[in-house]
Amino acid sequence: MVTVLFVCLGNICRSPMAEAIFRHKVERAGLSKQFHIDSAGTGDWHIGNPPHEGTRNILDEKGIVYDGIKARQIEIKDLKQFNYIVAMDDKNIKDIQTLEHPNSAQVLKMLSFMEKSPQNDVPDPYFTGNFQEVYDLLSHSCEGLLHFIREKENL
Ligand code: 4NP
């Protein structure tokens, strides 16, 4: 089983969108049984809440399901249990590393999986309001991430 955890700040906008998009791509590739996919936030403000309306709207528009996704906060045990931890921005990585010794958690950056990415961080639509931009970035980078994992895991 390959385990993938997407991480952002609030776990209501970016990381649940990445979780739903990545699960959709994994399903389309016929690999659902080989993956466990989840998301979490570094903050605790929205624990138990469904994705933000902007994330729900764009996923509905694209026909991507997000049933059952509820915000939770990242825990130290996640760092041991997940093979791939994928953060949306540099601040997320710093926050994850304050949970444990900086070198013990290997955290990947979402946009490193997007060829010719126009930026380094996935901008936070909670503040920008631009959920379409985030969807486009996440859709491309999820494609790259799946390719990367399939090569690594021989899938
Ligand atoms: P996210 O966006 O990290 O993409 O889920 C945010 C959601 C909520 C807050 C900040 C960012 N907040 O401050 O409540």
Side-chain angles (χ1 to χ4, degrees):
M1 181 71 85
V2 180
T3 56
V4 183
L5 182 71
F6 295 99
V7 180
C8 65
L9 178 57
N11 194 212
I12 53 169
C13 298
R14 294 166 295 173
S15 61
M17 195 190 296
E19 177 186 346
I21 293 170
F22 191 71
R23 188 173 288 126
H24 184 76
K25 290 186 189 292
V26 164
E27 268 170 28
R28 274 201 326 209
L31 294 170
S32 293
K33 291 210 172 83
Q34 282 99 310
F35 277 83
H36 172 68
I37 304 159
D38 197 1
S39 67
T42 56
D44 63 359
W45 313 285
H46 302 283
I47 292 173
N49 290 351
H52 188 285
E53 187 184 12
T55 287
R56 285 186 275 124
N57 286 344
I58 198 127
L59 291 173
D60 284 338
E61 210 178 280
K62 307 291 177 185
I64 296 176
V65 296
Y66 49 85
D67 300 348
I69 296 183
K70 281 205 174 77
R72 72 174 182 89
Q73 191 174 27
I74 190 168
E75 299 172 70
I76 286 179
K77 69 173 195 260
D78 291 319
L79 304 179
K80 296 187 177 67
Q81 286 175 353
F82 283 87
N83 310 130
Y84 297 91
I85 298 177
V86 187
M88 299 297 133
D89 61 37
D90 279 336
K91 177 73 165 57
N92 303 150
I93 293 181
K94 276 206 191 104
D95 289 342
I96 292 167
Q97 288 175 337
T98 61
L99 291 172
E100 264 210 356
H101 189 275
N103 296 327
S104 58
Q106 224 239 320
V107 185
L108 304 166
K109 226 173 138 180
M110 189 78 233
L111 292 187
S112 67
F113 298 102
M114 181 175 176
E115 247 182 84
K116 297 187 190 137
S117 170
Q119 56 232 78
N120 260 328
D121 290 342
V122 180
D124 196 335
Y126 190 76
F127 302 110
T128 68
N130 194 341
F131 286 84
Q132 178 68 57
E133 174 192 31
V134 171
Y135 176 83
D136 292 340
L137 291 169
L138 291 179
S139 187
H140 279 104
S141 50
C142 279
E143 203 71 57
L145 175 64
L146 181 54
H147 184 77
F148 172 80
I149 292 177
R150 289 185 75 163
E151 291 228 314
K152 269 203 113 158
E153 307 285 340
N154 276 323
L155 289 172

